[in-house]
Amino acid sequence: MIAIELMETASTSAAHLLSTLASSIPFAAEEPKGIDTEGVVTFFASKIAPILLAVLGVIFIGRASRGEISKVLTSSAIAIVGLAFIAGAATLFFIGDFLINLIFE
């Protein structure tokens, strides 16, 4: 008899504890909103791009120290043209956004 009452009390206490714990755990009830592309671009521009440019600089300095000046100049020119294309693409993106807002407003 005492064992049965002890088991009932323990199970009631355990159930109360579990319900309290379950109510304190936040559940992901919200719909996923997608990927934060602006955050990804900001992270890439602030963290990854400087590292890649530093690696290119080390490679260029290493080639220049071995006397491969023509290869360094060619690679530097290609890198500058690539950066110009990237800047042009970003500019066209903003111009296109401006034109779309202008047309559909």
Side-chain angles (χ1 to χ4, degrees), residues 60-96:
F60 291 164
I61 291 171
R63 281 187 176 177
S65 68
R66 290 184 292 183
E68 300 176 3
I69 301 298
S70 65
K71 288 184 179 179
V72 170
L73 291 177
T74 303
S75 299
S76 298
I78 291 170
I80 290 170
V81 169
L83 290 174
F85 276 118
I86 291 170
T91 303
L92 289 176
F93 176 76
F94 290 117
I95 290 172

Side-chain angles (χ1 to χ4, degrees), residues 6-72:
L6 185 62
M7 289 298 292
E8 287 177 358
T9 305
S11 65
T12 305
S13 297
H16 179 67
L17 177 66
L18 288 176
S19 67
T20 304
L21 286 175
S23 65
S24 67
I25 297 173
F27 291 104
E30 297 178 13
E31 287 289 321
K33 296 179 182 175
I35 298 173
D36 180 20
T37 55
E38 290 183 17
V40 171
V41 170
T42 303
F43 173 76
F44 183 79
S46 66
K47 304 287 192 277
I48 305 298
I51 293 171
L52 293 177
L53 290 174
V55 168
L56 280 175
V58 169
I59 291 170
F60 291 164
I61 291 171
R63 281 187 176 177
S65 68
R66 290 184 292 183
E68 300 176 3
I69 301 298
S70 65
K71 288 184 179 179
V72 170

